[in-house]
Amino acid sequence: SQKIEQNSEALNIQEGKTATLTCNYTNYSPAYLQWYRQDPGRGPVFLLLIRENEKEKRKERLKVTFDTTLKQSLFHITASQPADSATYLCALKGGFKTIFGAGTRLFVKA
Amino acid sequence: DVKVTQSSRYLVKRTGEKVFLECVQDMDHENMFWYRQDPGLGLRLIYFSYDVKMKEKGDIPEGYSVSREKKERFSLILESASTNQTSMYLCATGTPGGWADQETQYFGPGTRLLVL
């Protein structure tokens, strides 16, 4: 069956370190993959999109990689700050629908 | 900036009541979506619409219906609310997306529904 998986355990890191979140998928061949941020009690907010022919995408302190062979995307936040604490969702296009992972909660401690 | 608003942030209803959740967007997007979000399960698609008066079932349509009479408005209806419909409901919009097109989704703030 088709699945998109993110680490359900929260990630706790120290301010200033790099946070790395993982998104794995099976039985999809997505043309692109997206990452969203969700704060408690709010709707997700789009952060980045990476296409299947792109290995890496950057936006300020964010970096996303996409390995279609491993069927995996990594999401990095460099020089993390307490304000980066949130849940991060990955999403991919499965047919005509967007499929979301359950998200990984990130806590950045000062 | 895209603005997606939902009629209520919090709702408390009784079992068996008919519940209306409304979503309005101001960016002239064709696509609109209703999701529910539960801990550990992520976002699950209930219904979506690609145009006025069009609707398509998502992954969990049972117990729900939708209405799209105007492009900017997409309503989710719980015909007879049940306790297992207690959840966070999120509306989203997006520009048209074919297989390889971008379809970034823009979400509303969510409605937290409690059914007693």
Side-chain angles (χ1 to χ4, degrees), chain A residues 29 31-32 34 36 38 41-46 49 51 89 93-102, chain B residues 9 35 37 40-43 45 48 50 59 88 90 97-105 107-109:
Chain A
S29 296
Y32 58 82
Q34 302 176 31
Y36 289 76
Q38 186 174 21
R42 302 284 182 184
V45 175
F46 170 74
L49 179 150
R51 297 180 187 279
L89 311 175
K93 203 69 178 297
F96 286 99
K97 295 185 293 185
T98 298
I99 314 297
F100 287 84
Chain B
R9 292 300 309 275
Y35 296 89
Q37 186 175 33
L41 295 179
L43 287 163
L45 182 64
F48 61 103
Y50 285 135
D59 299 314
M88 172 74 134
L90 289 159
W99 184 262
D101 292 344
Q102 292 186 46
E103 193 187 285
T104 301
Q105 296 200 7
F107 286 84

Side-chain angles (χ1 to χ4, degrees), chain A residues 48 57-63 76 78:
Chain A
L48 278 170
K57 198 87 169 270
R58 290 177 186 260
K59 180 182 173 183
E60 296 170 356
R61 293 184 296 110
L62 309 180
K63 184 178 89 170
H76 306 272
T78 57

Side-chain angles (χ1 to χ4, degrees), chain A:
Chain A
S1 64
Q2 298 171 322
K3 265 195 206 174
I4 180 168
E5 289 182 339
Q6 296 184 254
N7 194 339
S8 58
E9 288 183 23
L11 179 63
N12 291 280
I13 64 165
Q14 201 65 37
E15 182 176 12
K17 300 292 186 185
T18 295
T20 299
L21 309 178
T22 304
C23 176
N24 294 299
Y25 60 93
T26 56
N27 297 327
Y28 289 112
S29 296
Y32 58 82
L33 189 142
Q34 302 176 31
W35 284 88
Y36 289 76
R37 170 185 171 138
Q38 186 174 21
D39 291 290
R42 302 284 182 184
V45 175
F46 170 74
L47 295 175
L48 278 170
L49 179 150
I50 185 165
R51 297 180 187 279
E52 60 181 339
N53 60 350
E54 297 175 314
K55 295 288 184 199
E56 183 180 295
K57 198 87 169 270
R58 290 177 186 260
K59 180 182 173 183
E60 296 170 356
R61 293 184 296 110
L62 309 180
K63 184 178 89 170
V64 173
T65 63
F66 192 12
D67 189 326
T68 55
T69 303
L70 289 179
K71 294 188 181 290
Q72 182 181 79
S73 175
L74 298 178
F75 177 81
H76 306 272
I77 306 175
T78 57
S80 59
Q81 304 165 1
D84 295 325
S85 297
T87 297
Y88 292 87
L89 311 175
C90 68
L92 52 80
K93 203 69 178 297
F96 286 99
K97 295 185 293 185
T98 298
I99 314 297
F100 287 84
T104 298
R105 188 85 170 90
L106 172 66
F107 292 97
V108 181
K109 292 181 281 191

